[in-house]
Amino acid sequence: MLNYTLRRLFTVIPILLVLIIFSFYLMRLAPGGPFTSERPLPAAVMANVLERYGLDEPLHVQLWTYIKNIVFHFDFGPSFSQKDRTVNDVIAQGFPVTLTYGFWSAVFVLVCGVPLGVIAALRHNSFWDYTMTGLAIFSQIFPNFVLAPLMVLLFTLSWGLLPGGGWNGGQWQYVIMPAVALGTSYMAGVARLTRGSMLEVLGSPFIRTARAKGLPERTIIIRHALKPALLPTLTYMGPVFVYMITGSVFIDVFFSTGGIGQDFIDGAYSRDYSILLGLAILYSVLTFTLTLLLDLLYAWIDPKVRSNM
Amino acid sequence: MKRRALCLAALMSSTLMVPVFAADVPEGTKLAQDQTFTYRVLDEFSSFDPQVVEDTYGSEIVRDLFEGLYNQDANGNNVPGVALSHEVSDDNMTYTFKLRKDAKWSDGKPVTAGDFVYAWQRAVDPELASPYAWYMELMSIANGAEIIAGEKPITDLGVSATDDHTLVVNLSQPLPYFDKMVSHATTFPSPKWAIDAHGAEWTRPGNLVSNGAYVLTEHVPKERSVREINTNYWNADDTVLEKVVTLVIGDDAQGLTRFRAGEVDKTDIPAGQYPALKDEFPQEAYALPRLCNYYFTFNLDSGPEAFKDVRVRQALAYAIDRNVIVDQVLQGGQFPAYTFTPAATANFEVPSVDYAGMTQAERDEKAKALLEEAGYGEGGKELSFSYLYNTNEAHQQVAIVATQMWKQKLGINVTLENQEWKVFLENRGAQNFEMARGAWCGDYNEASTFLDLLTTPSGYNDGKFTNARLDELMVEAKSSQDTQPLYTEVEQILADEMPVIPIYHYSTNMMLNASIQGWPVDNVEQTWYSKDLFKVAAE
């Protein structure tokens, strides 16, 4: 398994390189630049600005400098729009915010979604099942941009229970709404997935065998049925989790959390190349790491996968 | 004379002796216990460095943290800041500022003329490469342009300190409104020792040394910033607001929600909601005149052939019913525009151009006649073109209404095209358009900030309009003591030639909590200072 992990780690380098080169050129295809403004800068001022940020060099030289600075200094360059900060500063400030509410959102999804699905499956075709399925479908049709304003309307304006936005160092009052708004539709997805696969597993021969052996129902469900039934949920949660912790643009803008989702938007509008590129790299490294972790988790759960590694 | 209701009698006797320009609290006002003002900003600041900052929100903070030679009062007039007064030489080329002796930095060091020299040299320094170096160029400080171009060392800049409290500025050409330009953030002093000590990180809370009424105590980018009263500020005793908090809220509607929830004291009004909010909050919804114009520009360079005919341009300008756009579409207290320069501009009398005095029916009549004369419209050649604007709901509404008026009154077909901001700027700047939206907010409160845009060398003259007489007049205005006749003639040329169609002059629409008093509602640049505000107790 160590061998497998190392092999995977090595493939990431060329992938990242391709990604950097591709995004680097792609961004520059967009008309306008970081210093295009309503009042065009006088030529001499523009020349100084471009020189300061190295933007006067040919593109391939800029690219080479960029990669060199990352490899040798772990420096992702200066931000063009937030002139007092570097990309490292921006990510160091915004990522923990996004990670925090993304993490709690994922916890919310699993803690509510899995039990809902299991209960629905165990009480198949009963009142409980219909209620759970109904609830799941209901939450799935509420995307976060509908749910978030609705929550603010109720919890902030009507009942005055929670602040309408902000972060304030991550106090729990400020985390609840972003986490729930971000997670609700995924929670519904997880509940439905778990219900489906649980039903399938419960009907399979090895559960019948377990029952025939006279094992207690609780042991059957928790020790034998749950593990295989969670596999599809895990597959589903991998990319969802990456999405959650790298920040939903909508949640960050709407709740003014100060997370990195806001930087994606601002970076794109202001042509802040270094911010965008830095975030693209962060995003891909996270995707890669989490899928690797997920694969290892798979192997731990499913012996069939383990033997193939 | 200023009257203040703070109970300290000793303090009062000292403030009554000299005129001060701080919070002007009427007698008998009951101030709130908690003097905290929280307001919403749309996005993160570009910088807290006075020489680097380039956005409006950043400038608001920098004006609180630093103090330049002059501040503006509630009407936009200069009042003493670090400078008490100035003298101008007979040739209008040398300005000598007398600085106050009691001005201090937040670390206790005195503010000297040398701090201004350092800051101004810094602003043009190619090494710092501030995009706002253009502002110093605009101020016509001797050798500014050459230093920016790297032809002379920064020490050659026409600014010097004859002693700690005397600043002398030499200009490359006379500039009658030079003193109006020194309340701008780019001209604020900066602390050399702090910049040398902390380098690029000197603007972080803790590192930042400032000479304004407030110091920066907290900054979480994209979320909040906090500034608190600077006890070393020369007029700290008269400053009432103790703490000012900004919250970054990217969504207009969400800003309003949080205003309703009492989380912010000030926010912008989302487009189109002013009338409803004025009904709901008569004391708190504001529509204030603003130093900005909104116009359509013809591409006279590579646009349709028809645009080269002045009759076509006039017809299009006449056929727009500006009152409909202002009163029924935008509904935010904007002003119909028939001149390029807003009426709110200081020392500027709006000239009476012909078409402003007509009724709309007369204008429509004239428009039809002009268009027919030019050989277009009914029975003539067909006229169609495209109109380009940057993606935005309000711009779209204006575009739809205006082009619909042209279609109904003149039978002209216009295709609407919208582009994302930077794409739009790139295309408009490269004359890749037929007709485009234009707008400008004054850099300083004087008509030339607008009228210069339509001169031949202007970098913002995207329609490539050229008129020798207009260029001449604007050059003359630079050194004239009586500019009104010159500007009147320029506006007259614009009304005759119609290179752009003025549509309206902007207003600022905002919600401001009724407890916050002292807001400069009559300052058309909306240059406000937290030190002038105060919070009254709820009744």
Side-chain angles (χ1 to χ4, degrees):
Chain A
M1 194 127 75
L2 180 71
N3 205 342
Y4 170 79
T5 313
L6 284 179
R7 229 176 4 189
R8 281 282 294 269
L9 279 178
F10 274 112
T11 53
V12 78
I13 293 169
I15 294 177
L16 266 184
L17 212 60
V18 170
L19 177 113
I20 291 176
I21 295 170
F22 187 69
S23 333
F24 185 88
Y25 283 102
L26 197 67
M27 274 184 321
R28 277 152 220 262
L29 283 181
F35 302 103
T36 309
S37 61
E38 186 143 38
R39 164 192 280 276
L41 292 179
V45 176
M46 185 60 119
N48 289 339
V49 174
L50 292 183
E51 192 189 330
R52 163 163 178 198
Y53 291 105
L55 294 172
D56 55 340
E57 306 270 5
L59 277 186
H60 64 273
V61 178
Q62 288 182 39
L63 178 62
W64 175 235
T65 320
Y66 183 77
I67 295 175
K68 241 180 10 194
N69 283 339
I70 293 178
V71 174
F72 295 115
H73 309 288
F74 201 65
D75 173 9
F76 290 83
S79 161
F80 304 134
S81 54
Q82 298 174 43
K83 296 201 167 51
D84 301 350
R85 311 215 151 223
T86 62
V87 175
N88 296 40
D89 290 337
V90 170
I91 291 178
Q93 192 275 318
F95 184 53
V97 172
T98 313
L99 188 64
T100 306
Y101 77 75
F103 172 77
W104 287 113
S105 188
V107 168
F108 163 73
V109 167
L110 288 176
V111 166
C112 296
V114 171
L116 276 180
V118 172
I119 293 171
L122 292 180
R123 304 268 183 279
H124 187 41
N125 284 345
S126 72
F127 166 77
W128 284 110
D129 185 15
Y130 296 138
T131 314
M132 298 290 170
T133 317
L135 199 71
I137 291 174
F138 188 70
S139 1
Q140 208 158 15
I141 56 168
F142 267 104
N144 53 24
F145 57 86
V146 177
L147 193 64
L150 216 70
M151 287 174 78
V152 170
L153 205 65
L154 293 177
F155 291 98
T156 307
L157 280 184
S158 302
W159 302 327
L161 295 173
L162 293 171
W167 189 244
N168 230 2
Q171 290 172 16
W172 63 270
Q173 302 95 313
Y174 293 83
V175 182
I176 292 184
M177 281 204 284
V180 173
L182 178 62
T184 301
S185 61
Y186 297 109
M187 187 270 287
V190 164
R192 294 180 56 207
L193 259 177
T194 312
R195 174 182 174 274
S197 65
M198 193 72 183
L199 279 178
E200 204 184 306
V201 172
L202 284 179
S204 59
F206 77 93
I207 296 292
R208 214 178 321 145
T209 313
R211 288 216 169 102
K213 267 177 29 183
L215 286 179
E217 190 66 15
R218 176 189 296 261
T219 318
I220 295 176
I221 304 292
I222 295 177
R223 289 223 22 215
H224 299 285
L226 198 56
K227 249 166 90 174
L230 280 181
L231 275 181
T233 310
L234 266 186
T235 319
Y236 175 75
M237 274 308 284
V240 166
F241 189 60
V242 176
Y243 169 76
M244 283 177 164
I245 63 170
T246 46
S248 148
V249 169
F250 173 78
I251 297 287
D252 276 332
V253 173
F254 188 82
F255 287 109
S256 324
T257 54
I260 49 173
Q262 177 98 50
D263 288 311
F264 264 118
I265 283 280
D266 295 345
Y269 281 138
S270 62
R271 306 285 190 274
D272 198 333
Y273 301 139
S274 44
I275 290 255
L276 283 178
L277 208 49
L279 288 174
I281 295 171
L282 174 75
Y283 195 95
S284 40
V285 167
L286 281 174
T287 311
F288 175 81
T289 319
L290 285 171
T291 36
L292 176 63
L293 282 179
L294 207 66
D295 286 351
L296 295 177
L297 201 62
Y298 253 50
W300 175 67
I301 292 179
D302 190 347
K304 274 187 289 183
V305 179
R306 208 177 319 166
S307 59
N308 285 338
M309 274 188 177
Chain B
M1 193 177 284
K2 307 273 160 182
R3 283 189 302 276
R4 308 212 342 109
L6 283 180
C7 47
L8 302 166
L11 189 140
M12 277 196 65
S13 61
S14 70
T15 56
L16 287 174
M17 288 189 321
V18 285
V20 289
F21 299 92
D24 188 7
V25 185
E27 206 164 350
T29 306
K30 193 161 171 257
L31 290 171
Q33 277 291 316
D34 177 23
Q35 288 291 333
T36 303
F37 170 49
T38 307
Y39 69 97
R40 173 244 178 178
V41 298
L42 177 73
D43 43 39
E44 179 53 29
F45 319 105
S46 55
S47 175
F48 292 145
D49 184 326
Q51 275 76 53
V52 175
V53 66
E54 48 184 339
D55 61 312
T56 317
Y57 297 120
S59 304
E60 287 169 358
I61 293 204
V62 169
R63 274 203 301 272
D64 271 3
L65 299 178
F66 295 85
E67 183 169 63
L69 294 171
Y70 287 140
N71 294 326
Q72 287 188 13
D73 70 5
N75 297 311
N77 301 314
N78 275 353
V79 290
V82 175
L84 292 167
S85 64
H86 70 271
E87 282 168 17
V88 190
S89 65
D90 290 340
D91 61 356
N92 285 323
M93 300 271 276
T94 306
Y95 281 69
T96 309
F97 292 90
K98 277 279 162 221
L99 310 191
R100 66 171 71 247
K101 301 203 162 98
D102 53 348
K104 285 201 193 92
W105 290 94
S106 53
D107 60 1
K109 289 198 170 63
V111 178
T112 65
D115 299 331
F116 282 91
V117 175
Y118 170 70
W120 291 24
Q121 290 179 349
R122 207 172 159 254
V124 292
D125 191 347
E127 206 169 315
L128 182 73
S130 165
Y132 253 63
W134 68 260
Y135 188 81
M136 301 308 274
E137 222 180 307
L138 200 68
M139 285 171 76
S140 307
I141 301 170
N143 291 333
E146 290 82 354
I147 296 167
I148 292 170
E151 292 157 9
K152 284 187 176 168
I154 58 169
T155 45
D156 279 6
L157 190 69
V159 56
S160 56
T162 44
D163 62 54
D164 272 358
H165 303 291
T166 312
L167 183 75
V168 181
V169 185
N170 293 308
L171 304 186
S172 55
Q173 57 169 339
L175 203 62
Y177 44 87
F178 177 79
D179 61 320
K180 285 243 173 268
M181 299 182 78
V182 298
S183 53
H184 193 278
T186 317
T187 68
F188 292 174
S190 37
K192 182 171 190 305
W193 60 98
I195 298 175
D196 288 345
H198 302 289
E201 299 197 346
W202 81 276
T203 56
R204 306 286 163 97
N207 297 350
L208 189 71
V209 174
S210 60
N211 73 324
Y214 294 86
V215 285
L216 186 67
T217 53
E218 191 188 343
H219 178 215
V220 185
K222 288 176 278 121
E223 200 227 334
R224 64 166 58 224
S225 78
V226 181
R227 47 199 197 264
E228 289 176 60
I229 208 158
N230 174 6
T231 48
N232 274 317
Y233 178 58
W234 61 270
N235 202 13
D237 291 344
D238 287 314
T239 308
V240 181
L241 272 192
E242 281 156 11
K243 189 169 162 185
V244 185
V245 181
T246 65
L247 296 180
V248 179
I249 302 174
D251 182 78
D252 270 346
Q254 184 63 355
L256 185 63
T257 303
R258 294 179 67 183
F259 176 85
R260 287 174 186 274
E263 292 176 32
V264 293
D265 296 320
K266 173 184 172 275
T267 189
D268 297 331
I269 293 179
Q273 293 195 31
Y274 174 73
L277 287 167
K278 185 75 193 166
D279 283 346
E280 197 182 340
F281 304 95
Q283 302 296 316
E284 303 189 310
Y286 287 87
L288 311 171
R290 193 170 154 207
L291 205 58
C292 303
N293 64 11
Y294 189 109
Y295 57 91
F296 296 163
T297 184
F298 293 101
N299 181 352
L300 299 174
D301 179 58
S302 51
E305 204 47 44
F307 287 173
K308 304 218 159 101
D309 190 328
V310 66
R311 291 169 298 190
V312 173
R313 301 202 295 268
Q314 281 181 333
L316 289 169
Y318 289 3
I320 291 178
D321 189 339
R322 290 155 178 82
N323 290 324
V324 169
I325 292 181
V326 167
D327 297 335
Q328 280 158 44
V329 180
L330 300 165
Q331 305 183 26
Q334 291 86 352
F335 307 87
Y338 301 93
T339 56
F340 197 63
T341 315
T345 314
N347 307 321
F348 176 76
E349 199 74 40
V350 177
S352 54
V353 290
D354 285 347
Y355 77 118
M358 302 180 193
T359 64
Q360 189 56 41
E362 285 167 0
R363 277 195 285 264
D364 290 347
E365 202 61 38
K366 192 93 196 283
K368 279 187 199 132
L370 281 165
L371 200 67
E372 227 162 279
E373 224 180 286
Y376 295 92
E378 258 172 80
K381 285 174 279 182
E382 200 194 301
L383 179 57
S384 62
F385 56 88
S386 69
Y387 171 69
L388 177 70
Y389 60 97
N390 56 303
T391 314
N392 171 297
E393 208 180 318
H395 300 334
Q396 185 184 27
Q397 287 172 354
V398 172
I400 290 174
V401 172
T403 51
Q404 204 53 40
M405 287 172 184
W406 287 333
K407 182 159 180 71
Q408 282 169 5
K409 296 174 186 174
L410 306 174
I412 296 171
N413 285 314
V414 184
T415 327
L416 297 184
E417 206 181 324
N418 71 89
Q419 292 174 348
E420 181 259 355
W421 180 237
K422 293 238 174 182
V423 181
F424 167 77
L425 286 181
E426 189 89 353
N427 279 321
R428 195 180 62 183
Q431 282 73 50
N432 283 330
F433 68 96
E434 297 190 333
M435 181 188 273
R437 171 188 167 259
W440 189 256
C441 288
D443 292 316
Y444 48 91
N445 194 355
E446 213 270 347
S448 65
T449 190
F450 294 100
L451 296 175
D452 272 343
L453 301 177
L454 295 174
T455 57
T456 311
S458 157
Y460 195 69
N461 183 353
D462 289 327
K464 296 289 163 209
F465 170 66
T466 296
N467 182 294
R469 178 70 189 141
L470 186 147
D471 293 354
E472 227 174 80
L473 287 165
M474 290 313 296
V475 171
E476 199 180 320
K478 289 263 178 294
S479 53
S480 165
Q481 294 300 323
D482 181 20
T483 49
Q484 182 62 41
L486 306 174
Y487 294 153
T488 301
E489 195 182 336
V490 171
E491 286 287 2
Q492 193 57 55
I493 294 175
L494 294 180
D496 292 341
E497 291 291 321
M498 210 66 84
V500 298
I501 306 177
I503 305 291
Y504 67 85
H505 295 141
Y506 273 76
S507 66
T508 299
N509 288 357
M510 64 169 184
M511 301 296 296
L512 180 66
N513 191 301
S515 70
I516 302 294
Q517 305 272 313
W519 194 268
V521 288
D522 295 322
N523 186 320
V524 290
E525 290 176 278
Q526 281 297 297
T527 306
W528 58 274
Y529 301 82
S530 300
K531 67 180 176 63
D532 298 339
L533 308 179
F534 55 95
K535 198 168 184 176
V536 296
E539 277 156 26

